[in-house]
Amino acid sequence: MWEPMSLRQYKTAKDRPVQGPIWVSRVTLHAGLNQVAQLVAETIRSLGDNNSYNVYYGSETSTVDAEWVGKRAGSPALYRRTVGRLAGLTQGRVLTVGYRLAPQHPFPAALVDILIAYLSLLYPSKESYHKAIPAKSVLLAGDSAGACLCLSVIQTVLAARQTQQTETPTVVFNNQPVNLFMPSGLVLLCPSLDQTFTLPSWKDNASTDILEDVLPAYSPNYPTCELWPSNPPRARLYCEADMLAHPLVSPITARSWAGSPPMWIAAGGGERLLDGAKLLAQTAARQGVTVIFEEYEAMPHTWPVVFKTWPQTTIYIEHSASACTRLTSGGDRQLATEGKRIKLETLETESVDVLHLTSLSVLDMKERMRDHIRSLKPFTGAVGGKASL
């Protein structure tokens, strides 16, 4: 049975006991007086095709909840097991961010929270337990929507460079202007880059993925609650329909990635979002960004998180941990763009050309998305308010 959005969020976001050889430290990150939300609003306007976007106000915040996760000898919330394995293999610490959720906190609230968390690593407040960490020692990692947010951070920094006409833009954070540096790199798993779900692979890979054909929250029979449908109603959980093709919402539409740090991207060959990962890797590589792209044949969306015992999960964890280490140890200077496909049966690797992964183009995608957006109508709720299969 489908569950109301409020119940679904409660179940997925509730705390879980710490298990296994990891340590967890829950923290609240303090941003003090800051202009991060204003920076995001400026970026929305500068990257958009017009200035008529509905920029949400009320996304400002001065605190963000997060938790540090690390590996300890002898001794997971939803991602603790995967994050703990990464921490152990890299001998590093991982900060997982409890960013605000849609629909009650629509775009750009989550992006504001991620930016505050990133800046808190570089410029910790007096309440923080960690010392300042240089940007060259920080990388952004995420899967699915989290990967999308990581890319939105990069687009925000790139836009600030253009707007402020400097390689080192600034933003007010914790009551003072601070430099907005790029992180050392990106580690992305199954990035969700098209919020209209109009990529060809969305249909082509329907039979091999775990993602549903019709997202439950948009079904006429989806049960209503205090969170969804929104008031006033809108077509999508995350944002208004006219924002869906914006680069900060659907990064696949970004005009330029030039100046981005290196990207390590892994995607499932059987997932419905595969085309987005391919187009991102191809576009960024053609613009001079170092891109390492790995396609795992026949794998569904976010398989390492869902199917933890599969051999492809072990390979992914090892490869992503290696990428984390190389990207934060100055190894990016030795990195070169490359692509590979991990075969399903043999687990052998074959090379793929990152510069020619897909025949799609960014312009193609924008047109597909705009056509779809014109067909969307605000979601007003379930028929009779009852759940349905």
Side-chain angles (χ1 to χ4, degrees), residues 107-189:
F107 173 83
L111 176 55
V112 170
D113 290 356
I114 296 297
L115 278 163
I116 285 177
Y118 173 57
L119 290 169
S120 294
L121 296 178
L122 276 57
Y123 310 103
S125 67
K126 61 182 181 180
E127 296 90 353
S128 297
Y129 294 109
H130 69 277
K131 297 180 180 179
I133 303 171
K136 65 181 180 180
S137 297
V138 177
L139 62 83
L140 304 183
D143 73 292
S144 195
C148 173
L149 286 169
C150 293
L151 291 163
S152 297
V153 169
I154 301 303
Q155 281 295 311
T156 300
V157 179
L158 290 174
R161 287 179 174 179
Q162 290 292 321
T163 301
Q164 298 182 26
Q165 293 294 296
T166 176
E167 284 295 300
T168 311
T170 61
V171 62
V172 173
F173 185 74
N174 267 325
N175 312 310
Q176 62 183 345
V178 299
N179 292 325
L180 188 57
F181 294 114
M182 279 290 186
S184 65
L186 298 168
V187 174
L188 310 173
L189 169 64

Side-chain angles (χ1 to χ4, degrees), residues 19-67:
Q19 299 176 349
I22 63 173
W23 58 262
V24 174
S25 175
R26 300 177 183 88
V27 296
T28 298
L29 305 175
H30 296 267
L33 176 65
N34 70 86
Q35 294 181 354
V36 175
Q38 291 91 322
L39 172 68
V40 172
E42 292 170 2
T43 306
I44 291 172
R45 295 189 179 94
S46 67
L47 292 181
D49 294 328
N50 56 63
N51 293 321
S52 62
Y53 288 111
N54 180 14
V55 178
Y56 293 98
Y57 295 95
S59 63
E60 298 87 351
T61 186
S62 59
T63 60
V64 173
D65 292 327
E67 63 180 34

Side-chain angles (χ1 to χ4, degrees), residues 221-243:
N221 292 320
Y222 190 76
T224 61
C225 67
E226 66 272 18
L227 300 184
W228 186 250
S230 59
N231 184 22
R234 59 177 182 269
R236 289 293 179 260
L237 289 167
Y238 190 51
C239 64
E240 297 282 3
D242 66 350
M243 289 296 300

Side-chain angles (χ1 to χ4, degrees), residues 11 68 155 226 275 359:
K11 287 184 175 181
W68 288 100
Q155 281 295 311
E226 66 272 18
D275 283 341
S359 60

